[in-house]
Amino acid sequence: MGASQAVGGDYVCVTTSEEPKRHTEWTFDGEAICVPTVSATGHGHASIKRIHYVSGKFSAATITVVMMKKKNVDIYVPYVYHYLFAHKDELLVPLMRGSANVSLNDVRLGKLRIPVPPSIDEQKRIVDKVVQARLNIESLKKQLTLAELNFDKEFSELRDSF
């Protein structure tokens, strides 16, 4: 499905956009990591700006590779997502080919190997720490925004008092 065919609906539709779109149909069911197959920065430049983790029923644009866990593999999919996200420039960008339309394909992506802690519990512990750190950052950003607004208000009142 082309990204422009997402017409709204009940199901997530993963594209190369930062925020997923919505669609009336789904083609996948389960946990997956969706990786764009085309460069995010344009003609002739190999770069991947974002990858997506999705769970449940969803569809994906044809310009993404959908990576799903094999049934016989004992792995925590969010661990793989966070690892790929943290190392996308070192792991994914070198797999992109082309001089004009730089792209990645599922064959090259399928050959990618990443280190995985042996236990699911360890994988979950690592993901929990990353998620908690990200939540802390977001909380601090909100506090900073509020402090800046408060400062602007107080400074404005100070200026107006003269």
Side-chain angles (χ1 to χ4, degrees), residues 68-116:
M68 297 185 85
K69 179 179 93 159
K70 294 180 180 178
K71 292 186 190 310
N72 60 344
V73 176
D74 197 24
I75 195 162
Y76 186 52
V77 177
Y79 172 84
V80 176
Y81 164 77
H82 286 285
Y83 189 90
L84 287 175
F85 188 82
H87 298 282
K88 65 183 184 251
D89 291 335
E90 303 95 64
L91 294 176
L92 300 176
V93 170
L95 298 176
M96 299 186 86
R97 302 284 186 270
S99 57
N101 295 317
V102 182
S103 64
L104 172 67
N105 70 26
D106 57 344
V107 173
R108 288 192 298 271
L109 192 56
K111 293 178 181 177
L112 183 65
R113 298 293 176 256
I114 65 169
V116 178

Side-chain angles (χ1 to χ4, degrees), residues 134-145:
R134 186 171 291 146
L135 290 172
N136 289 343
I137 289 169
E138 291 305 315
S139 175
L140 290 170
K141 283 181 180 179
K142 287 178 184 174
Q143 288 178 34
L144 178 60
T145 299

Side-chain angles (χ1 to χ4, degrees), residues 3-4 22 24 27-28 45-48 51 63-64 80 85 97-98 102 105-106 123 125-126 128 141 145 151:
S4 62
R22 306 297 293 181
T24 56
T27 50
F28 301 96
H45 190 277
S47 178
I48 295 177
I51 61 175
I63 55 175
T64 62
V80 176
F85 188 82
R97 302 284 186 270
V102 182
N105 70 26
D106 57 344
Q123 294 169 39
R125 187 188 68 74
I126 291 168
D128 288 345
K141 283 181 180 179
T145 299
F151 173 81

